[in-house]
Amino acid sequence: SIYCYRKPKTKRAKRFLEKREPKLNENTKNAMLIKGGNANLTVTEVLKDIYAVKKPFAVLYKRKNITRPFEDQTSLEFFSKKSDCSLFLFGSHNKKRPNNLIIGRMFDYHVLDMIELGVEKFVSLKEIKNSKCPEGTKPMLIFAGDVFDVNEEYRRLKSLLIDFFRGPTVPNIRLAGLEYVLHFTAVDGKIYMRSYKVLLKKSGCKIPRIELEEMGPSLDLVMRRTHLASDDLYKLSMKQPKGLKPKKKKNISHDAFGTTYGRIHMQKQDLSKLQTRKVKGLKKRPAEKSAEDGGATPKKSKSA
Amino acid sequence: MAAVRVEAVLAAAEEQEAEKRRSITVEKELELEYDLGNLLAVDRNPPPAAALRGAGPRREALLRALARDNTQLLVSRLWELPAERAGGAGGPLVAQLPQPAFRLPREKPPPKPRPPTRWEQFARLKGIRRKKKTSLVWDEQAKEWRRRWGYRRAGGDPSRAWLAEVPAGADPEEDQFARLRREKRERVARNELNRLRNLARAHRAGSAVPAAPLHPTGHQDRDELRRVARVARVSTASLGRFQPRLPKEPAEPPSRSGGKKRRFEPLLGNLAAERSRQLELLRDMGSKKPVLDITRAVNKQLRQEEAEAAAANKGKKQSKRGKRGRRQQRPGRSGKKSGG
């Protein structure tokens, strides 16, 4: 590209560019939350709440941007390139599509998938008065409903929602810190998104009993239009580079039952010279030993 | 009496245990699918649609109960993971998560390894390896360790150099300072040019975009692809004569010389073949019989015309054409016997 012809002149610029270049293990995806030309109060509140959930991996654009994502995607792609965000949530409102949210993701700064959802009911963080969990908590995600696997559009929506709300990938997690859960139920053509704060109660055994307290934003969504990526573009975006595959350890194999087998390679052994344990019963008696020697050293017979 | 009481106590204890376990067990028709790396659980059971249709607090309560059950199952799974106390004995209990299983699309395409630069190729060829250099160099004049290059470098500030020797054999009138400045500018320019050339080469190698009809669609068979590859090779200014081949592409078969008339045998090759060819030529020139058999040629032509006519009249009045066709074929057939 044209940008790589100019070498960065400062270390800071170099770090900035290195952060944005394609990598083997990618950064956590950032989301941009954009207000459309005529965004009403509901939609603005939704965007603000989602921003609170997704902090610090989100940018909220406060000004109104007059674009129509389904017709023209260039301005979205421009924003994505400038802020290095690959997820977006665009809110707008008009008579034909009231309380409209377009959730989408990008691949290589071009739009991959876009799904338009209508908000039918919204309860914001402010309306539910209780203590909230700390910012940046990794949420647990639960999808209920067989529609999420049967219908292709719902499947993509599930993938999009997981991508959106997943947060950073961590190797360890503090068990007491599992405080936030997002529950999506798809039933009757509607998708109910509810957020709960998790309370861990004593249960007598090691595993605690769960009690839920309704906390964060709760949305009743209905699916409107979709703009899904073509199959080959989607396949291209799913392609994982070879370096990410876990290295196979040689000479170790696993059974269907979970048994691990190891393989040891030995040199050829002379079995006659093998050192086994000393068993007294098998010990050679002096008579046998002299027979072996061929009578070379005959036993002195005691004279009577 | 005592035995009965003991039994009663044991029964009560077992009842209590079951009660405890019941508080964390959840009954589900279908097992959930878990992806612990993403803290994800998928419940395939169809939710009670009729109950959820009614609006208001009843729906919320139902959703909350469903969520509680699913969260309980997920948390039980998470608690079963191998956990340890981070930061010594008093630290928090930390579980080790497996790798995320749910495949999600990437943000950007995976990085392509850039092709080696001209210097890197040369160095690999010659076996030259990088020498590890120290970052500080001893400056004799300043009697301290100075950087190798940059601010306050070891050789003294080049802009404040007040002496420039005239090298042997150079023009005494020439301005040495100007020469040094000019040479530095030229070096910088050459370095920049080489860097841009390396970049252009890498860019060209990375994105070899063929023309639209030559795009691999994934639905082409091997022969078509081979044909397309051949066309692509020949579409260069020198008609593909200096195109390097791909690593596993077989060498071009000699029929590439393009037919009978453009086949040029090497000058000093097979002497016996050349001799036999020349003798055959002389024999043909000397013989009285013509090389071209007229009868055979005419028959061949007739047969070809019939075949074309048959293909054109396919389906039209077959019975009539059959009789006529048979009648027409007879002279051709007899002609075949007479030839040769």
Side-chain angles (χ1 to χ4, degrees), chain B residues 272-320:
Chain B
E274 192 183 348
R275 186 195 154 107
S276 64
R277 217 178 325 121
Q278 303 284 20
L279 283 175
E280 204 181 331
L281 184 68
L282 282 170
R283 192 191 50 177
D284 279 344
M285 276 164 58
S287 77
K288 292 277 176 11
K289 214 164 71 164
V291 182
L292 176 65
D293 190 355
I294 306 284
T295 335
R296 209 168 162 205
V298 167
N299 290 334
K300 207 168 177 185
Q301 179 70 22
L302 278 172
R303 247 207 313 269
Q304 205 180 354
E305 278 172 11
E306 282 158 20
E308 279 171 19
N313 295 343
K314 211 176 189 179
K316 271 197 224 170
K317 299 188 180 177
Q318 280 201 341
S319 53
K320 271 195 184 169

Side-chain angles (χ1 to χ4, degrees), chain A residues 246-271:
Chain A
K247 279 206 172 149
K248 283 183 84 172
K249 276 188 146 182
K250 283 174 102 170
N251 298 323
I252 296 179
S253 59
H254 294 273
D255 203 350
F257 300 106
T259 326
T260 313
Y261 292 98
R263 190 174 245 215
I264 307 172
H265 297 267
M266 291 288 301
Q267 293 140 349
K268 204 166 161 76
Q269 287 173 314
D270 188 5
L271 289 167

